[in-house]
Amino acid sequence: MKINLSGKVAVVTGGSRGIGQGIAAALHRAGATVAVLARDGGKAQAAAAALGGDHSARGYACDVSRADQVESTVAAVERELGPPAILVNNAGTTRDNLVLRISDDDWNAVLDTNLKGAFLMTKRVARGMIKRRHGRIVNITSVVGLWGNAGQANYAASKAGLVGFTKSVAKELASRNVLVNAIAPGFVETELTKGITPEARQAFIDAIPLRRLGEAADVASAVLFLASDFASYITGQVLVVDGGLVL
Ligand code: NAP
């Protein structure tokens, strides 16, 4: 199975490191021109440069929770790279605490990036996709959004919200050939999960039927599939990529 995305422009939010960086690399290897977005523009540009250093990848500073930045960044992508055919809403953050200790700021910070960010990006990018009668949107949720997790009520709420958002937008945009799906990774070792103790890490491995933690490339392969012509009859779905953790 060979996936060919040449001629397509892909936007990956949170593409400067971790899972997003892996997704950007996989889309680029498949021939897509990739816009890498992150709040730290220098890191987004460095990640884009590492993909090849030519005009096929470019980094942009963009806080996805800010409507003004989403507007100006997507306009710049359209001008400089072309209209996006693929949007991966991957930017995400955590502010873990027990629910009684979650401050308003920590609630808002997580919901603003993980859920409102996906809404703002989708609303802005889908406009052109609808006009062109073609588009793929992949939202990165989490198994935590499906199953809950003590100490992550804000994060779980944002990721569960993303599931409802995915299904609703899939229904709205299907008639325009814009397909919207989500991927729910299990545990992937990145900066987001680096605080875990060695004991908790081992407990995860013991609980995963495939007996290893996930890698960015595992999630990236699933994105590649959903962005490709091989998935042209799939919309509104949540693909769990967790080694069997929550079977
Ligand atoms: P990560 O290593 O912390 O990377 C997060 C990325 O998002 C960075 O590029 C960061 O760059 C960017 N970002 C954060 N807030 C942003 C904002 N407001 N606007 C734009 N970009 C923003 O995280 P990760 O582990 O790769 O996670 C990627 C996605 O997968 C997240 O949605 C996460 O919830 C999800 N996920 C992760 C795991 C896991 O085990 N790691 C499991 C399930 C789901 P800047 O800081 O420069 O903005």
Side-chain angles (χ1 to χ4, degrees):
M1 175 160 113
K2 180 109 176 80
I3 291 173
N4 183 0
L5 299 178
S6 44
K8 301 223 158 99
V9 173
V11 176
V12 182
T13 71
S16 63
R17 60 171 191 261
I19 293 172
Q21 191 172 19
I23 293 168
L27 292 169
H28 189 261
R29 269 197 305 276
T33 298
V34 180
V36 174
L37 275 54
R39 286 168 304 180
D40 186 326
K43 290 199 174 136
Q45 279 155 17
L51 294 179
D54 54 14
H55 294 304
S56 61
R58 197 158 183 156
Y60 296 86
C62 178
D63 182 339
V64 295
S65 69
R66 297 270 311 272
D68 54 341
Q69 294 188 23
V70 166
E71 173 55 41
S72 58
T73 303
V74 177
V77 171
E78 287 171 340
R79 214 171 40 242
E80 292 163 5
L81 302 181
I86 300 162
L87 167 64
V88 185
N89 285 312
N90 164 81
T93 192
T94 52
R95 299 276 194 286
D96 293 352
N97 220 329
L98 296 172
V99 67
L100 297 188
R101 294 189 185 141
I102 294 176
S103 66
D104 286 9
D105 282 353
D106 285 348
W107 177 268
N108 291 335
V110 171
L111 270 288
D112 280 356
T113 291
N114 299 7
L115 189 53
K116 186 181 169 197
F119 157 64
L120 292 174
M121 286 297 300
T122 299
K123 191 172 157 186
R124 180 57 182 82
V125 172
R127 224 157 64 193
M129 291 177 167
I130 289 166
K131 271 196 209 130
R132 292 186 297 280
R133 297 283 194 272
H134 177 84
R136 298 294 170 90
I137 299 173
V138 182
N139 297 320
I140 307 301
T141 176
S142 165
V143 291
V144 165
L146 303 174
W147 296 89
N149 194 24
Q152 289 197 305
N154 48 359
Y155 182 75
S158 72
K159 294 299 187 179
L162 211 42
V163 172
F165 179 74
T166 299
K167 290 174 184 288
S168 303
V169 180
K171 285 184 174 176
E172 284 187 28
L173 302 188
S175 65
R176 314 299 159 97
N177 193 33
V178 177
L179 279 49
V180 189
N181 290 288
I183 292 171
F187 191 100
V188 180
E189 266 185 313
T190 66
E191 210 159 303
L192 198 75
T193 49
K194 70 175 183 212
I196 191 169
T197 63
E199 297 74 32
R201 185 178 181 281
Q202 189 55 49
F204 264 113
I205 294 172
D206 293 342
I208 295 170
L210 289 181
R211 289 288 180 269
R212 68 169 176 86
L213 300 178
E215 293 170 11
D218 296 315
V219 181
S221 301
V223 172
L224 209 53
F225 167 65
L226 289 173
S228 77
D229 288 343
F230 292 99
S232 53
Y233 200 53
I234 301 175
T235 195
Q237 301 305 304
V238 182
L239 180 53
V240 177
V241 178
D242 70 345
L245 175 65
V246 295
L247 273 179

